[in-house]
Amino acid sequence: MAADGSEPMPLTSGPGDRRPAWSPDGSRLAFDTERDGRIHMFVVRADGADRKALASGEWSDVAPSWSPDGREIAFSSDRA
């Protein structure tokens, strides 16, 4: 949205999208989403473009948290 709060724009669209975490510089949003019984993490730019999955597979990755420099993301997982 604009600085004055006008023109809001959704950055995620899935009903299972949750736990958003902004990068320290505000340029990207990490979030997890539940689809097909698993939870996976994605990152999208602040303008809504360039959505990317961070991982895929038969495990669930949740609760993204950015490192202070924005170069890494910590998360919880049920991987073996």
Side-chain angles (χ1 to χ4, degrees):
M1 74 174 59
D4 65 1
S6 64
E7 303 177 40
M9 175 184 67
L11 297 179
T12 69
S13 60
D17 295 351
R18 58 192 178 196
R19 288 185 276 257
W22 284 104
S23 63
D25 66 2
S27 68
R28 295 170 291 166
L29 179 71
F31 63 96
D32 61 44
T33 185
E34 185 172 357
R35 302 204 176 137
D36 302 325
R38 296 285 180 194
I39 303 170
H40 297 290
M41 293 187 310
F42 289 83
V43 172
V44 64
R45 290 191 341 211
D47 64 3
D50 201 25
R51 180 178 166 167
K52 293 183 182 178
L54 295 180
S56 62
E58 296 184 25
W59 49 81
S60 292
D61 298 327
V62 301
S65 179
W66 293 87
S67 64
D69 64 6
R71 295 177 56 162
E72 298 177 308
I73 298 175
F75 59 94
S76 295
S77 180
D78 64 359
R79 299 173 193 219

